[in-house]
Amino acid sequence: MVRLVARRTAWSVLVLFAASTLCFVIVRVTTDPLTVTRASLNRGDVDPEAAARLLADERDRLGLHRPLAAQYGHWLAGVAHGDWGESLESHRPVAADVRSRLWNTVQLIAFGIVLAVAVAILVGVVSGARQYSAADHALSGLSFVALSMPSFWFALMAIEVLIYFPRHALHLDHPLLYSVGLHSPSGGLLDYARHLALPVMTLSLPLVAAWSRYIRASMIDALSAPYVQAATAKGLSRRQVLLGHVLRNALIPFTTVSAVGIGQLFGGVIVTEAIFSWPGMGQLLLQALSDGDTNMLLAWLMVAATFALGLNLLADILNGVLDPRARS
Amino acid sequence: MTIVDSGALTADGEDRAARPLKPGEPAWKRLTHHRLAVVGATVLLVLALGALLAPVLAPYPVDPLLDRAQLAQRFQPPSSQHWFGTDDLGRDVFTRILWGGRVSLLIGISVAAAATAIGTAVGTTAGWFGGWVDEALMRCTDLLLVIPGLAVLMIAQHGLGESTGVIVVVLSLSSWPTIARVVRAEILSLRQREFVEAARATGASAWRVVTRHLLPNVVGTITVYATLVVGGAILAESALAFLDFGLPAPTPSWGKMLAGFKGSSGTSTAYLIYFPGLAILLTVLAVNLVGNGLRDIADPRHPGSVRRGDGASSRPRR
Amino acid sequence: MNTSWRNWSTRAGRAVAAVIVSLLAASCTVGSGNDAERVAPADQPKEGGTLVLGALQEPACADWYAACGISSVWGRDMLSSQTLPRAFDFVDNVYRPSILLAGEPTVSPGPPQVVTYRLNPSAVWSDGTRITSADFKYTAEQAKLAGSSTAAAAVDTVDASDPGVAKVTFKDPTPAWRDNFARLLPNHLLAGKDRGAVLRDGYTFSGGPWALDHWTRGVEIKLVPNARYWGPKPHLDSVVFKVITDSSAYLAAYKTGQLDMAYFAGPQRDILDLKGLTGTHFESSIGFSFEVVMFNTAKPPLDSKAVRQALAFGADRDAIVLQQSGSIDPAIKPAQALMSPGNREWYTQPYRRYERDLGRVKQLMTDDGWAKGTDGVWAKAGTRATVELNTGTGNARREQAEEILRSQWKEAGFDVSIVNANPATLLTGKWFTDGTFQAAIVSLAPPATDPNLCGNFCSKNIPTETKPGNNVSRIASKPLDDLWEAVAKELDDTKRHELVNQAQQTLADEMPALPLNPVLDIIVFNEAKVGGVKTNPAGAFYNLSEWYCRSHC
């Protein structure tokens, strides 16, 4: 077990290193680090001589005259020491911005996962236990629809149905739920929930759909296993068999699947955060993209890669713990 | 990205609403007994025909002269003249939906084709050779899976400008690792089987064994995943359009049409987001249903089996 | 139990009644016709309350003399003008000495030109320190370091020996001197410190009617009244700007009542829909920004003046402008100079002769040696007249203009394709710098009211890899250079008008750019809730202090 963990961790570090190279290449091939400076010098009527001087200074400051490999080495050495450089746009340390944004995104993702897991297990158990029942057909149909919908479309419709319509029909002064950003600093728990509801719902919808299908299948699979028949023969009630034996066994593969799925969520939050003005990592990426802030882009990609790798590693380890056959 | 979500879809229990299969029945015949898959395939066929025959079927020109008379036609709600209404430049939305199908389906299919080709090649190589080749190739797929494809796509578009080509290339690059993993897992398990041993014993070349004996057995699984990539790519295109990273005008695409009027929900022009949204929903739903049906057929084991060990549902064992 | 049921039923009854009332109101609105023209009822401003507004962008920093602060027009115009004192107010197209000054400054034309500002003795910073000539001196130094404008660069010395009098000496004659000291910084808080570090995340000191209460990046900016302001006090208790960068989210937030007001620099196609909402009031005015098609005069086929003029004759600009802004302002016309009609003092109309006329297109092209090929596209010596049209992604209004132009130019015999790109990284950062673009729709936002366009159309400002510049059309014309040079130095108002007029005539003939629409500043608000809002070419928030809350704040 220890060997497995050590081996997988070593591989992850290696992949992370490779990812850093790939990220650096992607960002630097597509984006010129002088973009931010150029953009600001192109505004207003800056004296051309002064502009040329300011641009040359920035080029020197960023060390852009050196070969790309040397610049990569410099950046990587900084990152290894926890120095992510400063934002080219705001000149604030990248790490500080990332930290505050990451915390907001983590809140969104965490609640999204809790909701998705709870609903997915519920839906999966209901439809898995009664295969081909009316409830199963209805839930399966809904899952397919949810998986086939652009998530921003769902979000816009949700805003319409859950905020716009009730407010206008009932003439409320304040909307029932909010579609803009974080809770107000003074607001309590209820205020927090009213802000979180829609973004969390949007983020978890495709997860619920995919995971409930998975749990349903695992349930069906487990129901036909010999130990279930044995348990039933022993005289345990259907409820006891389902929850005590079937679900437990069905959840084992699900833990690894969900860990890998969660690792991919960074892509999903971009759209959700944009619609709900959620001040998290997704918004940070969009801002960095429109500014051409290469330092911020690099940090963003590295955080996303580390997050995904970490969860893949967790999936591997969980797999090893829960399924002894995988340890070899 | 959405592709991963739909990957989990295939880990699904069967949904056969028809009689059990007889061994040796041709696949297409089995598919026709899968009611939902038939519905999906029919819808897809209609949509594809609509897109292909858009020049004939469309009631209005897709690229009219935008003079004052044309512009005056803007924002007309759905009517008998304009079934889906008109857009901000007075163009017929139904016409644009038909033409837009061409772009959306083209993106979906080309991404699926490219991703399948790369994924199959890499997965087969890794599974067949094993050892360090396998390890190296699988670490490469890990690498591509940990960097969010949507973000890379946006960065690429920022550096290279709007184009269908960039979208197809980047989406293909971020979709193939899933397929590679699945193919590798299948090849690994097939490699141990007697018929492969037998073929090798007769002195057949590796190429021959792979192409004649192994791949035909994996085609079913590959097809399933390829259909899911189609749906994922169409959704990804619309998500990108929403984030203002789209295809250049005047090419109509469903994602771009939907995203262009994202602000009109809850107003009198909300119909502008209903129809492209429905077109996307219908297409991806149909593709997913067909994929689901194909998965049932590709799985030769007993009904209700979960395909443990396929790449998207859990990580390959080693 | 009984009571709560009664409550509920009363509430339900009220809701039903309210729905009916709103339906009636809606039908009344339809009946009364032009809703936007209706003037909000005049009543006594109420004190207190908070208004929540949206901000579609957020400044990268609050240092208005650094690149990160300059680049946000909203941040510069709203935040800085409410929190920092300025020498001149610009209202209704007239410069007036602000409440900071004790009267009109005296100007001695020199040479050297000397401007003497007398300060209002009651003007103080929010910590009670008097605003003095030392602040003028410090601000002038910082503006010069940043190279923020030609008027700032022309300042030679500031004599601050008398705290109540700032005597500013210019190196060169500077007719645009009123644009200086638009954002005065406190010398006593900043001198000797790293200005960027102090101002970056927002500053709590103030010399204007409002002060920054807090700024949570990506979330909101809150302003509260500056208690020590010596002028008229704001009516509201606070103003909150919610940062909402996605346009659909922005609209949804207004429609669902999460914002009391929304501000737009130029209409997007979506906001037309807001006109249908009952109680929504539109306030708009023509600002100083305007949009143009910039032609790259160094890139074939646009290196030919005849081709550029032919393109101008091939476009129905009236239709484009009406299509974009007509439902907000039915009287709107295209800009007929490379200047917004909002700049009333200097606006002339030399581009008026360019109206869609395919006969003129044909004549110009034929005289220039072009002939239409079998595909209906002009060709000359085997080269077809192809034009790639660019603009920044994510701007619905410009994308609309692009599509209309493409279609109309296609009919006029040009093969036009559209390629859009991220404004900063690709369009201005790369294509404008290396000159690879052909034609692009951009907005020209003059940093001040001054009519001098040397920055955009003087040959010394052609950008290169090492030297940034704003003359992206790459027009290099000696007469034009000379005219702008003279405009920059001419102190006599009548002569200066004549020079500007000549320069604009030359531009209309050379056609480095085709003006399209002036950009409307639009404020949308719920008129039952908000009062006192006026817009002005100098910025939609200029009278923020006079805004008040009618109810429910």
Side-chain angles (χ1 to χ4, degrees):
Chain A
M1 192 61 220
V2 176
R3 273 200 54 199
L4 172 87
V5 174
R7 196 177 111 95
R8 297 296 306 151
T9 310
W11 272 120
S12 296
V13 172
L14 203 67
V15 172
L16 190 62
F17 173 73
S20 76
T21 319
L22 190 61
C23 292
F24 195 84
V25 170
I26 291 172
V27 170
R28 290 300 294 275
V29 163
T30 54
T31 315
D32 179 2
L34 288 175
T35 302
V36 176
T37 315
R38 271 189 215 286
S40 63
L41 292 175
N42 279 337
R43 268 177 261 246
D45 59 337
V46 181
D47 175 54
E49 302 309 318
R53 176 174 47 78
L54 290 168
L55 192 69
D57 289 351
E58 183 72 356
R59 194 189 304 270
D60 287 347
R61 192 178 73 85
L62 298 175
L64 297 181
H65 50 274
R66 291 185 300 168
L68 201 60
Q71 294 179 43
Y72 169 67
H74 181 76
W75 171 76
L76 195 64
V79 170
H81 290 96
D83 172 17
W84 294 84
E86 63 177 30
S87 156
L88 298 177
E89 179 75 31
S90 70
H91 296 284
R92 290 146 49 89
V94 166
D97 273 9
V98 168
R99 248 198 313 276
S100 66
R101 297 303 180 103
L102 190 59
W103 169 234
N104 293 337
T105 293
V106 164
Q107 293 177 54
L108 189 60
I109 290 183
F111 285 109
I113 291 166
V114 170
L115 181 72
V117 168
V119 179
I121 290 181
L122 196 72
V123 172
V125 168
V126 167
S127 44
R130 294 173 208 280
Q131 204 183 354
Y132 303 142
S133 65
D136 178 31
H137 282 308
L139 290 169
S140 297
L142 281 178
S143 303
F144 273 107
V145 171
L147 275 174
S148 310
M149 217 175 356
S151 62
F152 71 90
W153 199 54
F154 168 79
L156 291 175
M157 298 292 161
I159 291 175
E160 170 119 13
V161 173
L162 297 176
I163 309 183
Y164 182 78
F165 178 71
R167 182 168 177 271
H168 280 255
L170 305 174
H171 278 250
L172 305 170
D173 271 347
H174 296 284
L176 290 175
L177 301 171
Y178 295 104
S179 68
V180 178
L182 282 174
H183 59 107
S184 27
S186 53
L189 210 60
L190 185 66
D191 181 71
Y192 186 52
R194 283 162 74 189
H195 278 89
L196 267 171
L198 284 182
V200 165
M201 212 193 288
T202 307
L203 189 67
S204 58
L205 184 77
L207 296 179
V208 170
W211 289 351
S212 65
R213 299 299 294 159
Y214 191 87
I215 291 171
R216 173 184 178 275
S218 303
M219 289 280 296
I220 294 169
D221 203 27
L223 272 171
S224 61
Y227 66 86
V228 173
Q229 268 122 39
T232 317
K234 270 198 293 184
L236 293 176
S237 74
R238 181 168 165 80
R239 192 188 171 84
Q240 280 170 318
V241 175
L242 271 180
L243 298 181
H245 296 262
V246 178
L247 183 59
R248 240 182 71 194
N249 278 291
L251 285 182
I252 290 175
F254 172 69
T255 42
T256 56
V257 174
S258 55
V260 174
I262 293 164
Q264 317 279 349
L265 270 185
F266 255 70
V269 298
I270 303 175
V271 172
T272 309
E273 287 188 359
I275 299 171
F276 296 106
S277 311
W278 192 261
M281 291 296 281
Q283 295 285 75
L284 194 66
L285 174 75
L286 292 179
Q287 188 63 48
L289 274 170
S290 69
D291 295 339
D293 191 339
T294 48
N295 278 354
M296 195 63 92
L297 287 177
L298 281 171
W300 195 94
L301 286 175
M302 288 305 288
V303 170
T306 312
F307 183 77
L309 264 175
L311 278 147
N312 279 2
L313 183 62
L314 184 72
D316 272 340
I317 295 171
L318 279 176
N319 199 25
V321 173
L322 298 173
D323 187 353
R325 285 170 302 169
R327 277 180 213 165
S328 53
Chain B
M1 213 178 306
T2 31
I3 294 163
V4 175
D5 297 332
S6 27
L9 183 70
T10 56
D12 194 355
E14 48 66 65
D15 254 320
R16 222 161 324 206
R19 67 183 167 82
L21 305 172
K22 289 181 201 129
E25 221 173 350
W28 65 267
K29 207 167 172 191
R30 282 188 272 167
L31 186 62
T32 55
H33 290 293
H34 197 293
R35 255 185 274 144
L36 282 176
V38 172
V39 172
T42 315
V43 170
L44 265 189
L45 198 69
V46 170
L47 286 165
L49 275 178
L52 270 179
L53 300 178
V56 187
L57 292 178
Y60 293 89
V62 65
D63 189 13
L65 169 66
L66 301 175
D67 57 9
R68 290 185 194 200
Q70 171 71 30
L71 295 174
Q73 303 287 314
R74 67 174 175 167
F75 294 131
Q76 291 193 6
S79 65
S80 57
Q81 263 125 48
H82 299 283
W83 293 356
F84 294 176
T86 60
D87 69 1
D88 59 324
L89 297 171
R91 296 173 299 197
D92 181 54
V93 175
F94 179 63
T95 301
R96 288 174 67 75
I97 294 262
L98 285 177
W99 283 86
R102 295 186 151 203
V103 180
S104 296
L105 291 175
L106 180 76
I107 289 180
I109 292 167
S110 9
V111 170
T116 310
I118 306 174
T120 308
V122 172
T124 313
T125 314
W128 179 257
F129 288 105
W132 68 267
V133 176
D134 181 24
E135 197 71 60
L137 286 175
M138 283 303 104
R139 293 294 79 77
C140 284
T141 59
D142 276 357
L143 181 60
L144 286 171
L145 280 176
V146 299
I147 302 178
L150 197 60
V152 173
L153 192 42
M154 291 196 289
I155 294 173
Q157 280 229 323
H158 263 284
L160 308 168
E162 285 183 333
S163 86
T164 318
V166 173
I167 292 189
V168 170
V169 168
V170 180
L171 279 181
S172 310
L173 286 179
S174 60
S175 308
W176 70 259
T178 316
I179 295 183
R181 283 186 164 188
V182 179
V183 173
R184 170 186 169 274
E186 295 269 327
I187 298 279
L188 269 183
S189 73
L190 285 173
R191 209 172 58 162
Q192 321 292 340
R193 302 269 284 273
E194 296 84 4
F195 70 94
V196 178
E197 302 285 326
R200 295 184 81 175
T202 59
S205 68
W207 177 253
R208 197 182 157 81
V209 174
V210 169
T211 52
R212 291 291 168 85
H213 298 278
L214 288 180
L215 283 183
N217 280 293
V218 194
V219 158
T221 316
I222 294 177
T223 320
V224 174
Y225 279 87
T227 54
L228 295 172
V229 172
V230 175
I234 293 174
L235 286 181
E237 191 263 327
S238 74
L240 276 172
F242 172 80
L243 297 168
D244 296 330
F245 297 81
L247 301 166
T251 320
S253 88
W254 293 336
K256 185 123 181 154
M257 291 168 74
L258 178 53
F261 297 97
K262 57 190 180 181
S264 69
S265 72
T267 68
S268 57
T269 54
Y271 63 88
L272 285 168
I273 59 172
Y274 294 154
F275 295 110
L278 282 174
I280 294 175
L281 175 65
L282 213 60
T283 311
V284 180
L285 186 61
V287 167
N288 282 347
L289 288 177
V290 171
N292 188 53
L294 287 172
R295 188 201 51 75
D296 287 348
I297 295 155
D299 188 346
R301 277 166 282 183
H302 66 90
S305 74
V306 177
R307 313 212 58 199
R308 295 235 177 80
D310 67 14
S313 56
S314 65
R315 297 174 53 81
R317 310 282 151 99
R318 55 183 70 85
Chain C
M1 191 69 196
N2 197 13
T3 351
S4 83
W5 164 249
R6 249 208 351 245
N7 271 348
W8 185 86
S9 67
T10 338
R11 232 183 299 148
R14 257 211 312 266
V16 172
V19 171
I20 292 166
V21 168
S22 83
L23 286 174
L24 288 174
S27 51
C28 285
T29 310
V30 173
S32 73
N34 205 341
D35 192 32
E37 293 299 302
R38 207 170 66 202
V39 180
D43 51 4
Q44 203 57 37
K46 284 210 296 205
E47 300 299 317
T50 295
L51 285 181
V52 183
L53 286 86
L56 262 169
Q57 48 159 308
E58 157 183 61
C61 74
D63 181 358
W64 316 115
Y65 290 91
C68 51
I70 295 170
S71 48
S72 163
V73 176
W74 177 85
R76 198 182 63 194
D77 290 354
M78 198 291 293
L79 206 49
S80 78
S81 69
Q82 297 301 334
T83 56
L84 298 179
R86 56 179 172 269
F88 279 90
D89 288 332
F90 185 78
V91 179
D92 298 330
N93 272 277
V94 183
Y95 275 108
R96 289 202 194 90
S98 78
I99 195 166
L100 172 68
L101 301 184
E104 181 75 36
T106 50
V107 185
S108 97
Q113 182 187 351
V114 177
V115 180
T116 310
Y117 299 84
R118 278 171 212 288
L119 304 189
N120 182 344
S122 53
V124 287
W125 295 101
S126 51
D127 61 1
T129 312
R130 205 188 141 188
I131 300 176
T132 66
S133 54
D135 300 324
F136 275 70
K137 191 177 166 75
Y138 176 77
T139 304
E141 284 163 9
Q142 302 303 312
K144 222 167 157 170
L145 270 179
S148 38
S149 71
T150 28
V155 172
D156 189 20
T157 56
V158 178
D159 176 2
S161 50
D162 178 346
V165 179
K167 221 165 126 188
V168 180
T169 311
F170 288 87
K171 274 186 295 206
D172 302 309
T174 307
W177 61 271
R178 284 184 184 84
D179 289 335
N180 278 342
F181 307 110
R183 285 168 274 277
L184 208 62
L185 291 172
N187 175 61
H188 71 289
L189 294 174
L190 295 170
K193 298 205 179 119
D194 178 356
R195 187 196 74 229
V198 176
L199 300 182
R200 188 169 300 150
D201 297 322
Y203 44 86
T204 49
F205 64 79
S206 169
W210 296 86
L212 190 66
D213 180 72
H214 68 260
W215 174 11
T216 315
R217 230 162 251 276
V219 182
E220 63 181 28
I221 296 174
K222 184 175 177 180
L223 296 182
V224 291
N226 166 16
R228 305 294 287 265
Y229 187 57
W230 64 99
K233 296 267 190 316
H235 296 305
L236 294 164
D237 287 339
S238 59
V239 178
V240 177
F241 290 88
K242 292 262 183 205
V243 179
I244 306 174
T245 47
D246 181 79
S247 63
S248 62
Y250 193 72
L251 288 161
Y254 177 76
K255 281 186 286 206
T256 54
Q258 297 172 76
L259 299 178
D260 301 320
M261 313 180 78
Y263 162 74
F264 300 86
Q268 302 289 318
R269 57 186 158 210
D270 300 318
I271 74 165
L272 301 182
D273 295 328
L274 295 179
K275 298 209 84 166
L277 289 182
T278 26
T280 289
H281 187 82
F282 277 68
E283 185 81 29
S284 72
S285 71
I286 292 176
F288 274 62
S289 306
F290 57 104
E291 289 178 334
V292 303
V293 187
M294 197 61 93
F295 296 122
N296 185 346
T297 59
K299 187 107 176 152
L302 299 171
D303 54 348
S304 152
K305 186 163 96 179
V307 172
R308 301 197 296 270
Q309 289 181 342
L311 285 169
F313 279 115
D316 187 353
R317 294 183 294 137
D318 287 272
I320 295 174
V321 171
L322 266 180
Q323 165 77 11
Q324 293 176 332
S325 316
S327 58
I328 306 287
D329 179 357
I332 196 160
K333 290 268 176 267
Q336 300 293 13
L338 288 174
M339 181 186 290
S340 165
N343 196 347
R344 287 207 292 270
E345 194 190 341
W346 299 97
Y347 183 64
T348 51
Q349 305 198 7
Y351 276 80
R352 222 165 146 172
R353 60 177 184 268
Y354 296 104
E355 295 211 342
R356 190 160 204 259
D357 182 347
L358 295 189
R360 293 295 299 273
V361 175
K362 190 175 172 193
Q363 189 197 340
L364 278 163
M365 293 301 279
T366 318
D367 290 353
D368 198 40
W370 298 79
K372 262 196 185 167
T374 47
D375 54 355
V377 176
W378 295 105
K380 180 181 178 180
T383 327
R384 294 166 79 245
T386 55
V387 178
E388 189 187 280
L389 187 56
N390 312 128
T391 195
T393 45
N395 187 313
R397 181 180 64 251
R398 285 179 215 160
E399 284 176 10
Q400 219 176 39
E402 261 183 331
E403 291 216 49
I404 300 176
L405 281 174
R406 190 197 69 90
S407 166
Q408 296 182 347
W409 283 346
K410 193 175 122 191
E411 206 211 5
F414 297 91
D415 179 8
V416 183
S417 56
I418 295 175
V419 175
N420 294 338
N422 175 37
T425 50
L426 215 50
L427 191 63
T428 57
K430 199 151 181 280
W431 297 346
F432 281 2
T433 303
D434 59 22
T436 46
F437 82 105
Q438 284 185 304
I441 301 183
V442 291
S443 145
L444 291 185
T449 53
D450 200 64
N452 192 345
L453 289 178
C454 184
N456 292 107
F457 302 107
C458 276
S459 59
K460 67 173 181 184
N461 288 317
I462 295 176
T464 64
E465 181 58 30
T466 52
K467 189 171 71 75
N470 266 331
N471 182 355
V472 292
S473 72
R474 292 167 163 74
I475 186 89
S477 146
K478 181 79 173 69
L480 210 48
D481 285 355
D482 292 345
L483 276 168
W484 291 129
E485 200 63 31
V487 168
K489 303 244 159 82
E490 182 55 63
L491 288 177
D492 182 282
D493 220 37
T494 322
K495 282 186 196 154
R496 197 157 187 252
H497 267 93
E498 184 47 40
L499 287 167
V500 169
N501 206 348
Q502 274 181 39
Q504 286 283 354
Q505 290 285 355
T506 315
L507 286 173
D509 183 54
E510 288 287 333
M511 188 65 66
L514 178 66
L516 299 174
N517 54 305
V519 176
L520 285 177
D521 273 324
I522 303 166
I523 296 187
V524 177
F525 57 90
N526 180 347
E527 62 185 342
K529 199 163 175 180
V530 185
V533 179
K534 273 192 214 125
T535 54
N536 177 45
F541 300 97
Y542 85 104
N543 77 334
L544 187 62
S545 304
E546 293 164 30
W547 295 9
Y548 61 92
C549 174
R550 288 187 205 276
S551 63
H552 300 301
C553 293

